[in-house]
Amino acid sequence: MTDNVVPLFKDPTTGTYTLPGDTPETPAAAAPDAVRPVRRWKRTARDLRAAVTSERTRTAARLVARHGMYVLGGTRITAKRAWDGRTGSRYERMIRAAEAAGNFEEAKEWEDRLTRFRAARHHRRMDLLKAPQDAVKSVAYGAGLTVGGLLLLGIVLAIANKDASWILAPINAVIEAIAAIVHVATVVWGPAVTVGPWLALLALWGVGRQRQTAPQWALPAQQRDDSGAPITPSIVVTALRDLGIAPMRKAIKEMGDAGAAMLGPIRIAGCGVEVDATLPSGVSTKEVQERRRKLAENLGRHEHEVFITLPVAARTVRLWIADSGALDEPIGPSPLVTDQKAAANYKTGKAPWGQDLRGDAALISLFQRMLLITGLSNQGKTAALRALALWAALDRAVEFRIADLKGVGDWDMFDGLATTLIQGPTDEHVIKATVMVEGLVAEMERRIQMPPGTVFTPLIGIVDEAQVAFMCPAIDDDKRPYGGSKATSRYFMAVRKIHNQGRAVDVLLWEGTQDPTDQNLPKLVREGAHTRISLVLGTESQARMALGDKAVDGGAAPHLLRQDLDKGTVVVSSGGITIPAGQTSITVRTHYIDDEQAAEVADRAKALRDGITTAHTVDDGPAHDPLADILTVLGTETRVLTQDVLKRLATLNGEAYGRWSFIDLKRVLDGTGAEPYKSEGRMVIGRDRLARVLANRPDAGSTSAAE
C-alpha cells in the first residue's frame, strides 16, 4: 500500500500542497511584497480598532467608569462628611465663605459656633480619659446588682414554689439566653463578614450615584429636556459656577453650603423670578454681564429670557429669569383702548405705556421731559411714540405740532388734533419741519420774555424719523444747510435751543429716529433728551448712543433684544418712570395700539377740544435778507455797536428780528468776512466789510458773477 502513496509538496509562500512536477499558479495581480504576515497584521489591527471604537465598547467603558467613579465619589463624600463631623472644617469653610461675601457679622457668628464646638469636643475627650475606670466601676456595679437581683428573684420564686431549686433558676435562664445569643452570632458572623463589605460598597455607590460624582462624559445621555425647569438655588449656583470664571468656581467649591450663601431669596417677579447673587472676592459684575448667553443656557433659558442688572449692594448682580416662553406671549391691550373714559393729566399723571418684566404696569411721566426714541426699522418705534402722544392728547390743554418724515399715514389720526401736521420724506417736507421746530423756538423765546409766574399751556413738538432731517442736504437762501450737526444747521440749532431752555416754559420736543449714528443723531441732541428710549438695536455702540454709557454699563442691553420677535419692547432710561433702586434702566413691553384703535382714541381727544384746524404747511415768514437789512440799519456810519444793530433791526422788522440775540447776529455774519470785531474794547460791525460782502455775492450782479 505504501507504493500507492503519492508525496505532496507544500509551497512555503502560499501554504498550498501540490503534486510533484506541478507548478502552482501565481495570480498575475499579486504584488511581490503582498505576503500573508502583513495582511494578517493589518487585519488584526483593523479588527482591534473596530472593537475598540465600536459603540458597544464605548458603552461598556462608560458603564465601568461611571459606576467606578460612583464608588470613589461616594467614598470621598462619606469621608468628607465624617471629617466634617469630627473636626471644625465645616465651620472654617463657612467663615471663609462669609468673609468672601463681605458678611463679617455672619463670619463672627460662625467663629463663635466654632469656639463652642471645640470646647464641647475638648470636654468629650477629657471624659474619654476617665472612661476606662468609670467603665470598670460600672461593670462591677452592674454585675453585682444584676446577680443580686436575680438571686432575690430566685428566692421569691423558691418561697412561692416551696422548692429551693428555684433560687438559681433566674441565673440559669440568663446563662442560657447568653448561650443562645452567642450561638446565633457564630452562625450569622460568617455570612455577615462576607456580605458586609459588599453592603458598604453598595452604600458608597448609592451616595456617589445620588450626587452624580461620575464625569460628564461617562454619564448616560439625558433624554429629558431641562429647558423651562423651575429655578432653584442649586440651579442658579451651578449656572454661576459653570460660567468659566475660575475665582467663582473655586469660591463656590470651598463654600460649605455649596454656594447657597451667595444667593438672596428667590422672589416671584411677574412672569419669572428674581434673585440677587453676591459675587465672591475677585469676581466683577462685568464678567458676569459679559457671559449673559452662557448663563442663560446654564439656566435652561434663551438669552432674551435672562436679564442681568446691578442693584445697590456692591459686588452683586440681580438676575431676572423669565418662565420659559413667557416673553413670547403678548401682553393685554392698552387701557386707552379698553377704558372709554380714560383721562390724562400732563402735569401730574402718568401714561399707561405697558408692562415691565415683573408684569407690573409701566407708567411714565411726560411732564417737562424731552424725549428721544430710537431703534431699528419696523420694530414698533412709531407705535410706541404715538401711544404716548395719544395719552397726552387726552389732556385738552396740550398742543401738538407734528412732523412725520416717513409720510405713510402713521399720524393721520392727529389731523384735526394737532395745530401742525407735516407728512412726507422729501427735502421740502424737511424744510417745513425745520420751520415748524424754529416756530417752537420762537414761541419758547416769547414765553421766556413773559413776566415771572406766567403759566403756560404745554406745547409738544414731535418729529418722527428725525434722521431724515439731520441728513437733509437742502440749503436755504442764506447758504445755511437745513440738515447736519454743525452750528450752521438750522434744524440742529433749533433742536439745541429747545433742549436748552424749552423745558422751563413747557415747550418740549419728542424725536424718533432709526439706527442712531453720530451723523443722523448728533451727540448734543441725544444727550439733551431727558427720557431716552430704545427698541432693538444692532450693536452695543448704537445702544450707547441711544441710552448713554451709564445706562449700558448698568445693564441696559437693547442690542440683545431679538429683531422682529421683540417688537414693541423698549429699554427706558428716564426719571419719569419707576426704575428699581440701583438700576439705570428698565425694560418695558409696550401696549400696541393699531391705527384703527389710535383713531378712536384721537376722536375722544378731539371731542375734548372746541375744534382745531390743522395746518399742513408752515409759513416761513415774509422774505427778508438779513445781510441787506443789517447794511440798511448801519446807515452811513463806519461801524456800529452790535447791541445798537440789534435794536435797529428790531425796529426795522420786529417780527423777523424782535427776538434776535448776539448769537443770532453772529451766526448770520460768521464765514462772510463781515464778522463782528472789537473796537476800543467793544464789539462792532463794520459797514465797509458788509458792503463788500454784499457786492461780491453771486446773486447781487457782481463782476465775478457777470463773468
Side-chain angles (χ1 to χ4, degrees):
M1 293 180 63
T2 58
D3 295 336
N4 296 329
V5 176
V6 179
L8 299 176
F9 295 92
K10 181 179 180 181
D11 189 338
T13 303
T14 62
T16 60
Y17 292 89
T18 61
L19 295 172
D22 292 344
T23 302
E25 295 182 0
T26 303
D33 58 344
V35 294
R36 177 67 62 183
V38 176
R39 291 200 297 270
R40 186 175 300 161
W41 175 83
K42 287 185 178 180
R43 186 184 307 112
T44 302
R46 185 167 58 251
D47 294 343
L48 181 61
R49 179 183 177 185
V52 171
T53 59
S54 68
E55 185 61 31
R56 288 185 178 181
T57 304
R58 288 200 296 264
T59 302
R62 285 197 297 267
L63 182 67
V64 172
R66 179 166 68 251
H67 293 287
M69 293 304 298
Y70 282 164
V71 175
L72 293 177
T75 303
R76 177 179 57 80
I77 293 171
T78 303
K80 187 173 183 297
R81 290 174 179 174
W83 179 260
D84 287 345
R86 301 293 297 175
T87 66
S89 59
R90 174 180 300 173
Y91 299 94
E92 292 172 354
R93 283 199 306 272
M94 297 303 294
I95 291 172
R96 289 195 298 269
E99 288 177 345
N103 194 341
F104 297 105
E105 293 183 0
E106 185 177 350
K108 186 177 183 302
E109 180 181 349
W110 281 108
E111 187 174 1
D112 293 340
R113 292 183 183 181
L114 176 59
T115 302
R116 292 194 296 269
F117 168 79
R118 287 173 173 170
R121 184 179 60 184
H122 175 72
H123 287 303
R124 289 195 301 271
R125 289 176 176 175
M126 296 303 295
D127 291 341
L128 286 175
L129 295 177
K130 298 186 297 181
Q133 58 184 2
D134 292 341
V136 171
K137 292 180 181 179
S138 299
V139 169
Y141 292 151
L145 290 174
T146 301
V147 172
L150 292 174
L151 287 174
L152 181 60
L153 179 60
I155 293 171
V156 172
L157 292 174
I159 294 173
N161 294 319
K162 298 178 181 181
D163 186 356
S165 63
W166 283 93
I167 294 176
L168 298 177
I171 295 177
N172 292 333
V174 171
I175 293 173
E176 291 175 359
I178 293 174
I181 293 173
V182 172
H183 178 71
V184 171
T186 56
V187 174
V188 174
W189 178 254
V193 171
T194 303
V195 177
W198 294 102
L199 293 177
L201 195 65
L202 181 63
L204 294 175
W205 175 86
V207 173
R209 183 176 182 273
Q210 182 182 10
R211 294 292 296 272
Q212 293 291 300
T213 57
Q216 190 67 32
W217 61 266
L219 295 176
Q222 298 291 331
Q223 299 298 328
R224 60 189 179 87
D225 184 9
D226 288 335
S227 62
I231 299 299
T232 62
S234 62
I235 289 178
V236 177
V237 172
T238 302
L240 292 171
R241 182 197 66 193
D242 296 339
L243 278 181
I245 304 175
M248 180 180 292
R249 185 178 186 86
K250 181 179 178 181
I252 292 175
K253 184 177 180 180
E254 293 177 351
M255 291 182 181
D257 58 354
M262 295 174 54
L263 304 183
I266 296 180
R267 305 175 295 272
I268 300 296
C271 56
V273 296
E274 187 176 74
V275 59
D276 288 353
T278 302
L279 304 180
S281 178
V283 182
S284 69
T285 56
K286 186 177 181 180
E287 288 179 291
V288 178
Q289 287 180 308
E290 291 174 346
R291 290 169 169 82
R292 176 184 172 190
R293 173 175 294 181
K294 189 171 185 178
L295 177 61
E297 292 173 350
N298 291 347
L299 291 167
R301 297 293 190 272
H302 296 291
E303 183 179 9
H304 72 278
E305 294 176 328
V306 175
F307 285 82
I308 306 173
T309 54
L310 304 180
V312 178
R315 211 170 67 247
T316 302
V317 293
R318 177 165 294 164
L319 308 179
W320 184 85
I321 307 160
D323 297 335
S324 185
L327 294 183
D328 296 327
E329 298 294 330
I331 64 173
S334 170
L336 299 181
V337 176
T338 57
D339 185 3
Q340 297 296 317
K341 296 182 180 180
N345 188 308
Y346 160 79
K347 185 175 182 179
T348 61
K350 291 187 175 183
W353 201 22
Q355 293 180 0
D356 61 18
L357 295 179
R358 300 173 62 93
D360 299 330
L363 307 176
I364 183 169
S365 171
L366 306 175
F367 178 61
Q368 292 187 344
R369 285 182 171 86
M370 308 292 174
L371 186 147
L372 171 66
I373 182 169
T374 186
L376 297 181
S377 177
N378 194 33
Q379 298 303 307
K381 171 179 54 63
T382 297
L385 180 62
R386 189 177 65 185
L388 296 177
L390 288 171
W391 176 83
L394 294 177
D395 184 340
R396 60 177 300 171
V398 178
E399 177 187 351
F400 288 99
R401 299 181 187 180
I402 301 173
D404 174 18
L405 298 181
K406 184 190 302 181
V408 295
D410 289 335
W411 296 85
D412 279 345
M413 66 288 303
F414 278 82
D415 193 354
L417 182 57
T419 53
T420 301
L421 179 60
I422 299 167
Q423 298 185 92
T426 67
D427 290 350
E428 292 299 324
H429 293 99
V430 172
I431 293 172
K432 294 177 181 179
T434 302
V435 175
M436 181 196 80
V437 176
E438 289 176 338
L440 295 174
V441 174
E443 174 62 17
M444 174 192 74
E445 293 175 344
R446 184 191 69 81
R447 294 184 178 190
I448 290 174
Q449 297 176 20
M450 297 294 288
T454 303
V455 178
F456 304 105
T457 57
L459 172 58
I460 299 177
I462 300 175
V463 180
D464 197 6
E465 306 296 340
Q467 77 278 358
V468 177
F470 285 112
M471 301 297 289
C472 179
I475 299 176
D476 66 9
D477 295 337
D478 294 331
K479 310 303 180 185
R480 292 186 60 200
Y482 286 93
S485 57
K486 296 182 179 179
T488 55
S489 167
R490 290 181 59 175
Y491 181 80
F492 172 77
M493 290 306 297
V495 171
R496 287 294 299 138
K497 289 179 180 179
I498 296 175
H499 282 177
N500 289 339
Q501 296 178 296
R503 178 177 178 273
V505 289
D506 272 325
V507 176
L508 307 178
L509 182 64
W510 297 356
E511 291 182 288
T513 183
Q514 295 180 14
D515 301 335
T517 65
D518 285 327
Q519 289 71 39
N520 63 27
L521 188 59
K523 181 179 180 181
L524 291 178
V525 172
R526 58 182 186 252
E527 290 183 350
H530 306 102
T531 296
R532 299 172 73 168
I533 306 164
S534 177
L535 292 98
V536 58
L537 290 171
T539 64
E540 181 179 334
S541 62
Q542 288 183 323
R544 292 183 180 277
M545 291 181 184
L547 299 176
D549 291 336
K550 182 179 179 181
V552 175
D553 290 339
H559 54 289
L560 296 182
L561 296 174
R562 301 167 299 168
Q563 187 171 357
D564 295 329
L565 296 178
D566 288 325
K567 282 187 176 182
T569 299
V570 298
V571 182
V572 186
S573 177
S574 171
I577 191 169
T578 302
I579 297 177
Q583 299 182 25
T584 56
S585 64
I586 186 172
T587 301
V588 176
R589 303 171 68 197
T590 60
H591 296 294
Y592 176 65
I593 304 176
D594 61 30
D595 291 347
E596 183 178 348
Q597 294 170 337
E600 294 176 359
V601 177
D603 288 340
R604 298 206 307 267
K606 293 173 185 177
L608 299 175
R609 292 162 170 78
D610 295 333
I612 294 176
T613 301
T614 299
H616 296 278
T617 186
V618 181
D619 186 7
D620 199 6
H624 59 276
D625 186 344
L627 293 180
D629 290 342
I630 294 173
L631 183 62
T632 299
V633 299
L634 291 178
T636 59
E637 300 179 54
T638 304
R639 55 182 177 270
V640 179
L641 295 174
T642 53
Q643 59 186 16
D644 292 338
V645 172
L646 290 173
K647 293 178 182 179
R648 296 177 185 181
L649 285 172
T651 303
L652 177 67
N653 189 341
E655 184 176 354
Y657 306 115
R659 289 183 290 273
W660 264 34
S661 64
F662 173 75
I663 295 176
D664 298 300
L665 185 61
K666 184 176 182 297
R667 170 179 54 78
V668 170
L669 296 175
D670 275 350
T672 63
E675 296 86 349
Y677 63 93
K678 276 190 177 182
S679 176
E680 298 180 356
R682 305 182 72 179
M683 298 300 294
V684 299
I685 296 176
R687 185 182 186 284
D688 293 341
R689 296 183 180 184
L690 184 57
R692 187 163 52 251
V693 169
L694 289 172
N696 291 329
R697 284 202 307 192
D699 56 354
S702 65
T703 305
S704 60
E707 293 176 355

